[in-house]
Amino acid sequence: MTDAGYQPQYRQIEQALRERIAALPPGAKLPSDTDLCAEFGVSRMTARNAMERLATDGLIRREPGRGSFVSAPPPHRRANRLMTFSQEMRRTGRVPTSRVLTRTVRPATASEAATLGIHQGRSVVVLRRLRLGDDEPIALESTVLVGTTADAVLAADLETGSLHETLGRAGFVLYRGTGTISAAAATSDDAALLGIAVGEPLLVERRVITDGYGRRIEATESRYVAGRYGLDVQFDVELPDDDAAPSPG
């Protein structure tokens, strides 16, 4: 049986480098593929795979003949990749912190159970946090996690620490997510916590994240102040249907 906490070698290298990059200035040189092979005891292909994932996310730039360097932070997050909030803030030069508003274990509601793929009434961990960058409120985040995460989540420092890093250390390797992005007007509760006026626009992201076995671990709604946060989207252009294409001539 495969260990539920197993993580491929390239992912281990990638996560280790993400932590280093967060503390480095733009332009800092990173270890070469050969250096990574020696440090982590892996093949060149494994090291290159980890570095290419970082390059795809825009965290580093690869310059043939010169090496790999930390990229300047983009103003927005790419919608097709998920970084932790802490990583995002550090990349933009801001200090991430959180204020824990709710952290408790209780039975799952019907809606929560359906979202996480568990039976209604099973234990879930409910976590609600105000996310800040340089002490400025950025988002109001409400998360529901499967009950097996309780020991790790209840004991963790989630004021200055990362939830996803906490889950990873506990053996919950988050692998893939699906989500939706929409707009909403700030409620009175949003306004009071985020320091904005009632009715101001919010960017609302709802996501569900699974582990490598497809098991749903986390469901989160993040309500971002639209003027303080953005998402960059990369997409393919779909060709028109044949019967809708203009005729030649």
Side-chain angles (χ1 to χ4, degrees):
M1 178 181 290
T2 303
D3 183 356
Y6 170 75
Q7 196 173 30
Q9 287 180 311
Y10 73 89
R11 287 282 287 163
Q12 296 175 32
I13 298 170
E14 179 191 349
Q15 291 301 320
L17 290 175
R18 283 180 183 273
E19 293 179 9
R20 294 184 197 178
I21 289 168
L24 293 172
K29 190 168 184 178
L30 294 166
S32 66
D33 293 351
T34 301
D35 292 335
L36 293 175
C37 292
E39 179 180 351
F40 291 94
V42 297
S43 69
R44 190 176 183 84
M45 182 177 295
T46 298
R48 185 182 298 119
N49 195 358
M51 294 296 276
E52 289 300 333
R53 286 176 63 90
L54 295 172
T56 298
D57 282 357
L59 294 174
I60 68 172
R61 67 179 190 276
R62 306 264 275 171
E63 298 183 9
R66 295 194 63 226
S68 299
F69 302 86
V70 177
S71 296
H76 299 152
R77 193 188 95 205
R78 291 188 181 184
N80 63 332
R81 300 291 293 182
L82 178 66
M83 290 184 192
T84 69
F85 179 84
S86 298
Q87 288 171 326
E88 290 181 64
M89 291 298 103
R90 291 187 192 115
R91 289 205 65 222
T92 57
R94 288 179 284 182
V95 177
T97 55
S98 300
R99 186 190 311 160
V100 176
L101 306 172
T102 303
R103 178 164 37 179
T104 188
V105 177
R106 61 163 171 75
T109 65
S111 175
E112 292 165 348
T115 300
L116 290 173
I118 60 177
H119 293 295
Q120 183 177 352
R122 290 285 297 273
S123 292
V124 291
V125 182
V126 178
L127 175 66
R128 191 164 183 251
R129 291 184 292 172
L130 180 65
R131 313 305 302 274
L132 307 100
D134 286 345
D135 294 325
E136 178 182 47
I138 304 294
L140 188 58
E141 188 177 273
S142 300
T143 301
V144 181
L145 302 116
V146 292
T148 49
T149 66
D151 287 347
V153 175
L154 295 181
D157 171 13
L158 297 179
E159 299 272 340
T160 59
S162 164
L163 173 62
H164 285 183
E165 290 172 8
T166 294
L167 293 173
R169 287 192 296 269
F172 298 93
V173 181
L174 303 181
Y175 181 70
R176 178 169 287 127
T178 58
T180 61
I181 299 169
S182 60
T187 66
S188 58
D189 183 52
D190 294 328
L193 289 165
L194 293 168
I196 58 177
V198 174
E200 280 201 32
L202 300 178
L203 181 68
V204 181
E205 180 184 36
R206 296 181 179 90
R207 65 175 184 258
V208 176
I209 300 181
T210 64
D211 65 10
Y213 299 95
R215 296 174 296 203
R216 284 169 268 184
I217 303 297
E218 170 200 323
T220 293
E221 178 186 86
S222 299
R223 300 172 69 83
Y224 296 96
V225 180
R228 302 172 189 168
Y229 189 86
L231 290 168
D232 287 331
V233 180
Q234 189 175 45
F235 56 87
D236 296 323
V237 177
E238 186 172 333
L239 296 176
D241 296 332
D242 291 340
D243 57 1
S247 59

